[in-house]
């Protein structure tokens, strides 16, 4: 903590107050929050401002100014105060409520020409957001103070500026403060003005607030609060409304009640509008119907003094027992946690950015957003209303590093209530918001109860949630949460709770399926349980973004706003990289834990997104019966008319047949059988039927023809093969029929083949994923020496057309015995392998073969699951079929290089050059296959992709077993069925030249 008070700047009373170390002071001179949108008609003040970065808040402002763009963080605009990433720990050692002596403070200044036509009007400055303490001056005079880095602050400048004249506005932003201890979220630390600044004017008689309650039954209530800048309200004012062109009058009965109950004020006006809409079009996330509402405030002579416009939706939210209901329906919450983030601007996002975020989520089956962990940019809620998302709106409260101390600290009581109440006052009219959240990871104390009490009184129409209130007992009553919203709770514990008979609240994970690196294993297992277990209702994946900041490699600086076009498909341009914790030279950081999203920093979807898309499919193939294919509508409110479909039949012999389909008219929850579109050929082997579902017309979030899901059913299994035997066409032939009579091996018993530059050997190691590293598996594997196995040949037996090679791989946990039997077959080599793992190797990354090919084999074609990356516990969204992908595109560029690019369930594949030469591999059964330009050692040795050097040939892994991905970087590991056990593993494959 600071040792002693520092001298305040003698001419600045706001600095003299030292509000950055006064948690009791949440604001001074700031206007109350409200839901009247003043953006239309305002004077925007965004753009270049004069700027100085001071070392401390009380350092004098000098004469030398630079420039900074508003909105934007100074940490991304060329200053020496660079971004820093920490997850839990505060970036300074001082205890709450103190801040460090070295406290970067940005001073923004510009001239503002106040429009002459604003004479006689009330003039207000709005600062969209500032991190973390905002001090406002106009023409050198103090105006006000605000805290909360993610909500707007408004200040009345009417008596301080002159219409038709020029004024100087100064905004001083102090980076570290008592409020920083409440804003310890898992994201980059920045400083600056992160949302737009504007100036607007109203009539002295104005709408101070508008509250809309639009219900599922069509009833509408609009409550208006009216004030006058002069204090006393003029006589005769009244309000009116208009709903989609229908005029609405003030509620006279409400006026009479206020008169009789002596609730009429001289300075606070209250009025109500009521109506009932017949045949109302209701709002939900599937059909987000909106109405245009205009509220007008009239003077006594009927002229309009003020207007407020809203887009409203009619819907109900309630909790019935252990179910969260929207419009009376139990809805599944297919959610994601989302930060305001951009790789070039840090915390500042545009309307187009936000729309692109939500369109991406909608296309991949998400229907809910948790605004982790603060109120998001106001445009997000407008878009959620329009496009259809259920929103958990979360207050800007996370005191992770000092959680239990602050939860009951009375000095922070006002801050808790202030942050929750201002969020609610701003966002209350959005139909998309179905739950309020008191914050995140701040333990639980009296401060939470106080905030919850205010909230429940002010808005009884929505439930409240807070993970910390129920973390010790999901069934507890009388606490500050109406929903049990655990964080990374194991699936089996949640299922057990739902089946226990003790459950009293809906269970919806506030965070689950941590998406760090190559992750999101077992997501399908979670949803199989959710959809089959009453009491479980969904959750919010952590999280949407990989928070990689675009960084120049040569000087280590953020690229900033000028970096558009310097990235594509998840990869930064040469000379650049995605920076994570530690990349800006900070000694104290939490590394790549910031890269834990389902999209890359440029919004390119990761493979896990396709998994989620299929899990959330609105139409599904339930089963294949004698009467046909049974389809089901898995939506809550919508039919299937908005969808189109096409059948695709994939046969193992390479044929693919297609046919149109007319989707049946199904209401939500209904099923119907449709006839099999094909006569299944008697030959062709294994057969899979896929329904490719697309949008039938343009949707607000997708043009006509956008793929929505690809449900699939197997119509015929592959013909069974004897264990460890090649398929019929690969049976060993008499020596007279084998073109290459002998299998060639070198002195070490390694296969010599013209298409291979490295012979097949045993592999038990993968480049550790983030889950492997943070979950503790990778350190065990290194301790065993699996990353540096030494092969020792113990026996080589040669016979005509066949070679048997016995080898041992010694490691710290024992000896792994490996046997290869290489047999010449027509056109190639058949390889039978076995590996015996000792009991001590009870959890390895993989068991399989690895070899390398000659250069020039640039295309992979395969029959199996795809086309995107898949793994044993993340393969639900990868349909079986015939796929073709360039080798360079198989690789997934996770921010920290690691195991990636695998394809699950591969039956056979080819690697070919442009002239159609190359090789083909046929596997004994569906296996995990990885083809890459990088060895596992290449990936393990580097921290960023700009350090990788691709190999000319292909590195090929054929795995008899591959460990699941899980989510152990923050949450449960994979399931037991996706772990690799000791004992003997057998596999076989056939290699041929094309």
């Amino acid at each position: 903590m600071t040792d002693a008070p520092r001298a305040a700047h003698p001419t600045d009373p706001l600095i003299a107050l030292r509000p950055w170390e006064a948690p009791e002071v949440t604001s001074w001179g700031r206007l109350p929050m409200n839901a009247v949108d003043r953006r239309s008609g305002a004077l925007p003040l965004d753009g270049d401002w004069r700027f100085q970065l001071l070392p401390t808040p009380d350092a004098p402002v000098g004469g030398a100014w630079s420039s900074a763009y508003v909105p934007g963080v100074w940490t991304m605009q060329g200053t020496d105060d660079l971004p820093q990433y920490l997850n839990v720990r505060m970036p300074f050692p001082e205890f709450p409520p103190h801040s460090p002596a070295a406290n970067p403070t940005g001073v923004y200044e510009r001239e503002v020409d106040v429009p002459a036509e604003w004479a006689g009007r009330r003039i207000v400055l709005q600062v969209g957001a500032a991190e973390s303490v905002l001090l406002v001056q106009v023409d050198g005079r103090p105006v006000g103070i605000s805290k909360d880095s993610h909500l707007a602050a408004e200040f009345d400048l009417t008596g301080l500026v002159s219409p038709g004249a020029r004024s100087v506005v100064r905004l001083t932003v102090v980076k570290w403060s008592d409020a920083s201890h409440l804003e310890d979220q898992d994201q980059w630390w920045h400083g600056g003005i992160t949302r737009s600044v504007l100036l607007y004017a109203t009539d002295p008689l104005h709408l101070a607030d508008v509250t809309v309650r639009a219900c599922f039954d069509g009833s509408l209530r609009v409550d208006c609060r009216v004030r006058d800048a002069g204090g006393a309200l003029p006589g005769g004012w009244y309000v009116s409304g208009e709903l989609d062109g229908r005029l609405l009058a003030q509620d006279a009965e409400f006026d009479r009640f206020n008169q009789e109950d002596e609730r009429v004020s001289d300075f606070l006006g209250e009025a109500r509008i009521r109506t009932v809409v017949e045949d109302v079009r209701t709002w939900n996330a599937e059909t987000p119907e909106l109405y245009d509402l205009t509220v007008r405030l009239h003077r006594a002579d009927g002229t309009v003094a003020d207007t407020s416009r809203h887009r409203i939706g009619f819907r109900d939210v309630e909790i019935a027992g252990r179910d969260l209901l929207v419009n009376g329906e139990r809805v599944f919450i297919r959610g994601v946690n989302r930060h305001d983030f951009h790789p070039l601007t840090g915390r500042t996002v545009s309307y187009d950015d936000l729309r692109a975020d939500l369109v991406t989520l909608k296309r991949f089956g998400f229907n809910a957003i948790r605004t982790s962990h603060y109120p998001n940019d106001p445009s997000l809620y407008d878009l959620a209303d329009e496009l259809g998302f259920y929103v958990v709106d979360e207050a800007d409260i996370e005191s992770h590093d000092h959680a239990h101390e602050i939860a009951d600290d009375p000095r922070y009581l006002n801050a808790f209530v202030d942050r929750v109440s201002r969020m609610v006052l701003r966002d209350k009219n959005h139909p998309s918001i179905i739950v309020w959240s008191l914050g995140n990871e701040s333990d639980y104390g009296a401060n939470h109860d106080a905030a919850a009490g205010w909230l429940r009184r002010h808005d009884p129409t929505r439930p409240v949630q807070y993970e910390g209130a129920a973390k010790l007992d999901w069934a507890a009553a009388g606490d500050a949460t109406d929903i049990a919203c655990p964080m990374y709770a194991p699936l089996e514990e949640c299922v057990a709770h739902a089946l226990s008979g003790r459950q009293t609240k809906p269970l919806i994970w506030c965070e689950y399926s941590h998406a760090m690196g190559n992750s999101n294993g077992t997501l399908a297992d979670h949803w199989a349980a959710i959809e089959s277990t009453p009491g479980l209702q969904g959750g919010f994946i952590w999280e949407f973004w990989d928070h990689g900041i675009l960084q120049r490699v040569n000087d280590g600086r953020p690229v900033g706003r000028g970096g558009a076009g310097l990235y594509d498909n998840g990869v930064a341009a040469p000379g650049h990289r995605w920076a994570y914790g530690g990349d800006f030279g900070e000694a104290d950081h939490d590394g790549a834990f910031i890269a834990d999203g389902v999209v890359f920093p440029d919004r390119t979807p990761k493979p896990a997104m396709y998994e989620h898309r299929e899990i959330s499919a609105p139409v599904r193939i339930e089963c294949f019966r004698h009467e046909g294919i049974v389809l089901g509508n898995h939506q809550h409110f919508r039919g299937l008319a908005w969808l189109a479909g096409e059948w695709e039949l994939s046969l193992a012999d390479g044929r693919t047949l297609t046919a149109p389909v007319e989707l049946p008219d199904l209401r939500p929850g209904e099923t119907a059988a449709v006839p099999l579109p094909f006569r299944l050929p008697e030959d062709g082997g294994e057969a899979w039927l896929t329904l490719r579902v697309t949008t039938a017309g343009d949707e607000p979030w997708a043009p006509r023809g956008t793929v929505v899901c690809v449900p699939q059913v197997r119509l015929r299994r592959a013909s069974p093969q004897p264990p460890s035997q090649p398929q019929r066409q690969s049976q060993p032939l008499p020596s007279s029929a084998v073109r290459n009579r002998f299998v060639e091996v070198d002195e070490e018993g390694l296969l010599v083949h013209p298409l291979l530059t490295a012979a097949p050997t045993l592999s038990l190691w993968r480049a550790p994923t983030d889950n492997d590293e943070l979950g503790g598996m990778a350190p065990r594997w290194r301790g065993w020496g699996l990353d540096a196995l030494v092969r020792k040949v113990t026996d080589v037996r040669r016979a005509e057309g066949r070679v048997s090679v016995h080898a041992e791989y010694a490691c710290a946990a024992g000896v792994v015995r490996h046997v290869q039997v290489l047999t010449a077959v027509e056109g190639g080599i058949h390889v039978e392998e076995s590996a015996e793992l000792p009991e001590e190797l009870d959890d390895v990354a993989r068991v399989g073969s690895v070899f390398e090919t000659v250069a020039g084999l640039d295309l992979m074609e395969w029959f199996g699951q795809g086309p995107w990356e898949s793994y044993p516990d993340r393969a639900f969204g990868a349909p079986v079929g015939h796929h073709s992908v360039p080798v360079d595109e198989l690789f997934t560029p996770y921010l920290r290089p690691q195991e990636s690019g695998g394809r699950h369930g591969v039956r056979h594949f080819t690697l070919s050059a442009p002239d159609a030469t190359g090789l083909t591999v046929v596997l004994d059964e569906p296996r995990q296959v990885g083809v890459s330009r990088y060895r596992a050692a290449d990936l393990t040795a580097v921290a960023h992709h700009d350090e990788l050097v691709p190999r000319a040939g292909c590195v090929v892994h054929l795995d008899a077993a591959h460990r699941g991905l899980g989510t152990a970087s923050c949450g449960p590991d994979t399931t037991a069925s996706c772990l690799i056990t000791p004992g003997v593993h057998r596999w076989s494959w056939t290699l041929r030249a094309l």
Side-chain angles (χ1 to χ4, degrees):
M1 64 181 66
T2 47
D3 295 326
R6 288 159 287 183
H9 196 278
T11 62
D12 191 338
L14 298 182
I15 294 295
L17 186 62
R18 297 181 62 79
W20 56 90
E21 291 188 336
E24 302 87 349
V25 177
T26 58
S27 68
W28 175 76
R30 187 179 68 191
L31 295 173
M33 183 62 81
N34 62 83
V36 180
D37 187 350
R38 300 294 185 181
R39 287 174 288 183
S40 177
L43 176 67
L45 300 182
D46 291 351
D48 291 319
W49 288 53
R50 292 189 296 275
F51 180 74
Q52 290 188 33
L53 185 61
L54 307 180
T56 64
D58 48 11
V61 176
W65 294 86
S66 62
S67 165
Y69 190 86
V70 173
V73 291
W74 67 65
T75 44
M76 304 277 284
Q77 296 193 53
T79 72
D80 290 331
D81 184 30
L82 296 171
Q84 181 179 3
Y85 169 61
L86 286 165
N87 174 24
V88 176
R89 292 164 294 144
M90 290 295 294
F92 51 82
E94 283 76 11
F95 300 140
H98 299 288
S99 53
N103 191 352
T105 299
V107 181
Y108 298 81
E109 192 174 276
R110 64 162 290 169
E111 285 78 24
V112 177
D113 292 317
V114 182
E117 58 269 26
W118 287 4
R121 295 173 67 77
R122 169 177 167 264
I123 300 172
V124 178
L125 173 70
Q126 182 187 97
V127 181
E131 188 173 335
S132 68
V133 178
L134 172 67
L135 313 177
V136 180
Q137 292 176 317
V138 172
D139 294 331
R141 289 176 288 178
V143 175
I145 299 169
S146 182
K147 297 176 186 176
D148 192 331
S149 297
H150 300 281
L151 283 175
E154 293 189 345
F155 303 91
D156 191 336
L157 305 188
T158 307
L160 299 173
V161 299
S162 299
R166 174 172 290 185
S167 287
V168 176
V169 175
R170 175 178 289 185
L171 306 178
T172 300
V173 180
V174 183
K175 182 175 182 179
W176 305 125
S177 70
D178 58 87
S180 301
H181 297 282
L182 285 182
E183 298 177 353
D184 185 18
Q185 290 100 348
D186 181 10
Q187 59 179 344
W188 292 98
W189 288 100
H190 289 294
I193 299 170
T194 57
R195 295 180 189 156
S196 290
V197 180
L198 55 88
L199 198 67
Y200 69 84
T202 73
D203 192 87
L205 179 66
H206 61 278
L207 290 165
D209 199 7
V210 174
T211 301
V212 178
R213 290 182 181 170
C215 300
F216 176 68
D217 62 3
S219 62
L220 173 65
R221 191 180 99 185
V222 182
D223 288 304
C224 305
R225 294 169 73 86
V226 177
R227 292 188 184 274
D228 191 279
L233 290 167
W237 64 268
Y238 65 96
V239 299
S240 69
E242 186 176 337
L243 184 69
D244 275 6
R246 174 187 172 189
L247 296 179
L248 308 174
Q250 186 166 321
D251 184 353
E253 183 179 344
F254 178 74
D255 294 341
R256 282 194 300 271
F257 170 80
N258 282 344
Q259 288 282 356
E260 294 169 0
D261 202 40
E262 299 182 351
R263 294 178 57 86
V264 177
S265 170
D266 293 331
F267 60 91
L268 172 62
E270 295 178 289
R272 178 172 292 172
I273 298 170
R274 278 186 183 273
T275 192
V276 176
V277 179
E278 301 294 335
D279 300 319
V280 66
R281 306 185 311 275
T282 57
W283 187 97
N284 59 71
E286 295 169 13
T287 55
E289 297 282 356
L290 295 174
Y291 288 74
D292 290 319
L293 171 68
T294 302
V295 178
R296 298 184 179 93
L297 171 62
H298 302 265
R299 304 179 187 90
D301 62 2
T303 57
V304 176
D306 200 4
T307 301
S308 183
R309 292 180 174 85
H310 307 263
R311 301 198 75 197
I312 67 170
F314 289 81
R315 62 105 186 92
D316 287 345
V317 180
E318 62 178 318
I319 290 178
R322 55 183 187 169
D323 294 328
L324 173 67
L325 306 180
V326 175
N327 298 341
E329 294 290 330
R330 181 179 185 268
V331 297
F332 286 125
I333 301 299
R334 305 181 186 277
V336 70
N337 286 272
R338 183 198 165 278
H339 280 282
D340 280 348
F341 169 78
H342 194 283
L344 304 182
T345 58
R347 206 89 77 211
T348 299
V349 289
S350 69
Y351 176 88
D352 290 340
D353 294 330
L354 291 162
R355 188 175 190 92
D357 290 356
L358 269 59
V359 163
T360 299
L361 288 169
K362 199 77 176 177
R363 291 183 182 181
F364 284 91
F366 290 90
N367 71 356
I369 295 168
R370 178 180 177 227
T371 66
S372 55
H373 300 292
Y374 43 80
N376 282 188
D377 186 282
S379 292
L380 178 126
Y381 305 88
D382 298 333
L383 288 163
D385 295 342
E386 174 194 340
L387 298 177
F389 284 91
Y390 302 121
V391 175
V392 173
D393 201 11
E394 188 150 279
D396 188 12
I397 299 173
E398 179 170 340
S399 56
H400 205 154
D401 197 13
H402 305 294
H404 81 273
E405 299 98 327
I406 289 177
D408 284 305
D409 189 336
R411 295 175 297 178
Y412 279 95
L413 171 61
N414 186 37
F416 274 66
V417 177
D418 184 68
R419 288 164 182 257
V420 170
S421 63
R422 295 182 74 241
M423 170 187 71
V424 173
L425 290 167
R426 185 192 75 164
D427 297 336
K428 59 192 172 186
N429 294 335
H430 289 282
S432 57
I433 298 172
I434 64 168
V435 177
W436 300 114
S437 170
L438 302 179
N440 185 66
E441 292 179 320
S442 301
D443 207 340
Y444 180 43
N447 293 342
H448 293 97
D449 286 333
W454 182 94
L455 199 162
R456 285 170 167 152
R457 168 70 178 179
H458 184 83
D459 181 16
T461 69
R462 295 177 175 96
V464 179
Q465 79 170 45
Y466 177 59
E467 180 266 342
K471 66 181 180 180
L472 299 180
D473 183 359
W474 296 338
D479 55 26
T481 187
D482 302 315
I483 297 170
C485 46
M487 189 176 290
Y488 308 109
L491 176 60
E492 56 272 20
E493 291 184 14
C494 296
V495 171
H497 176 68
L499 299 177
S500 69
R502 294 187 63 249
Q503 186 178 7
T504 59
K505 306 172 181 178
L507 193 151
I508 302 170
W509 283 269
C510 70
E511 295 177 21
Y512 82 114
S513 195
H514 194 254
M516 185 179 182
N518 192 357
S519 188
N520 301 102
T522 74
L523 187 61
D525 298 279
H526 277 71
W527 275 96
I530 291 166
E531 293 187 1
S532 61
T533 308
L536 304 186
Q537 212 165 332
F540 296 84
I541 289 174
W542 185 267
E543 63 166 308
F544 182 57
W545 283 110
D546 270 359
H547 294 231
I549 291 175
L550 190 66
Q551 181 187 43
R552 291 189 297 268
V553 174
N554 60 356
D555 64 3
R557 292 279 181 163
V559 173
R561 296 174 61 246
L566 292 176
Y567 44 77
D568 185 44
N569 289 324
V571 178
H576 302 81
R577 68 182 183 185
W578 300 123
Y580 51 77
D583 287 339
F584 293 109
E586 67 272 38
D588 196 13
H589 62 84
D590 283 323
F593 206 71
I594 193 73
D596 50 6
V598 291
V599 299
F600 289 103
D602 65 349
R603 207 181 289 104
T604 297
K606 291 184 182 179
M609 290 283 271
Y610 295 93
E611 184 86 347
H612 188 273
R613 188 182 73 179
E614 214 53 44
I615 289 168
S616 61
V619 56
R620 305 182 193 175
I621 298 176
E622 305 293 343
C623 60
F624 171 38
R625 300 198 303 236
H626 66 279
E627 65 265 38
I629 306 296
V630 178
L631 300 181
N633 181 355
H634 282 252
Q635 299 171 105
H636 299 294
F637 300 100
R638 202 174 189 187
L640 301 185
W642 67 285
L643 298 171
E646 181 184 59
W647 291 115
E648 182 178 287
L649 179 65
S650 299
L651 300 169
D653 65 1
R655 286 179 286 172
T656 300
L657 309 176
T658 61
V661 60
E662 183 175 340
L663 297 176
D665 182 14
L666 296 178
R667 289 178 297 184
E670 290 185 338
T671 61
V674 298
L676 186 66
F678 304 98
R679 182 180 178 184
L680 191 61
E682 294 184 4
D683 60 348
E686 187 178 7
W688 289 82
L689 182 67
T690 303
L691 178 60
R692 187 169 299 275
V693 180
T694 60
T695 51
D698 290 341
E699 295 286 324
W701 47 271
R704 180 178 179 271
T706 299
V707 175
V708 175
C709 56
V710 283
Q712 186 176 67
V713 65
R714 181 168 54 192
L715 299 183
R716 183 169 61 206
R717 294 180 178 273
S719 301
Q721 297 291 327
S724 300
Q725 292 294 321
Q727 295 190 14
R728 181 174 301 170
Q729 67 267 30
S730 300
Q731 291 285 350
L733 302 176
S735 60
S736 59
V738 178
R739 190 170 302 157
N740 297 318
R741 186 180 304 272
F742 299 105
V743 176
E744 185 178 358
V745 298
D746 63 15
E747 63 276 8
E748 294 296 323
L750 297 172
L751 176 67
V752 176
H753 192 283
L755 293 176
L756 304 187
T757 59
T761 55
L762 179 67
S763 176
L764 305 179
W765 167 261
R766 68 184 180 196
T769 66
D770 293 310
N771 291 329
D772 296 338
E773 291 285 12
L774 297 179
M777 290 74 77
R780 290 183 73 208
W781 298 339
R782 288 192 188 93
W784 289 336
L786 301 188
D787 58 335
L789 291 174
V790 177
R791 179 176 179 271
K792 176 184 177 183
V793 178
T794 60
D795 188 26
V796 178
R797 301 176 186 175
R798 292 177 171 85
E800 189 173 15
R802 178 176 299 206
V803 176
S804 297
V805 181
H806 293 248
E808 293 181 348
Y809 292 79
C811 67
V815 174
V816 180
R817 293 178 172 82
H818 180 227
V819 178
Q820 280 184 336
V821 179
L822 310 171
T823 304
V825 295
E826 182 63 35
I829 302 292
H830 179 67
V831 183
E832 298 173 64
E833 303 195 58
S834 68
E836 183 180 359
L837 276 61
E839 288 297 320
E840 292 78 5
L841 289 181
D842 57 355
D843 179 13
V844 298
R846 60 168 22 120
V847 178
S849 315
V850 58
F851 59 84
E852 297 179 24
T853 75
V854 297
L857 307 185
D858 298 332
L859 180 68
M860 180 178 176
E861 299 172 275
W862 74 97
F863 181 59
Q865 293 189 254
W868 28 83
E869 173 191 278
S870 55
Y871 284 84
D873 60 352
R874 202 192 68 214
F876 189 83
V880 175
H882 299 284
H883 306 290
S884 176
V885 176
V887 169
D888 290 341
E889 295 178 16
L890 295 169
F891 180 72
T892 305
Y894 296 109
L895 264 63
R896 189 191 65 79
Q898 57 196 270
E899 164 66 33
S900 78
R903 265 61 181 179
H904 189 59
V906 175
R907 281 75 166 161
H908 55 77
F909 67 92
T910 63
L911 294 172
S912 60
D915 62 2
T917 60
L919 60 83
T920 183
V921 171
V922 178
L923 296 137
D924 58 336
E925 61 180 79
R927 300 288 190 183
Q928 183 78 21
V929 172
V931 178
S932 173
R933 298 295 189 196
Y934 308 105
R935 295 174 180 168
D938 298 337
L939 299 171
T940 308
V942 301
H944 294 86
H945 285 280
D946 62 290
E947 304 169 55
L948 284 171
V949 179
R951 296 179 180 272
C954 300
V955 179
V956 180
H957 280 274
L958 312 177
D959 292 332
H962 194 105
R963 192 187 196 280
L965 301 170
T967 61
S969 58
C970 187
D973 196 2
T974 190
T975 58
S977 63
C978 291
L979 298 176
I980 300 175
T981 57
V984 178
H985 297 263
R986 292 185 173 87
W987 67 105
S988 64
W989 49 285
T990 302
L991 171 67
R992 286 192 175 87
L994 292 175

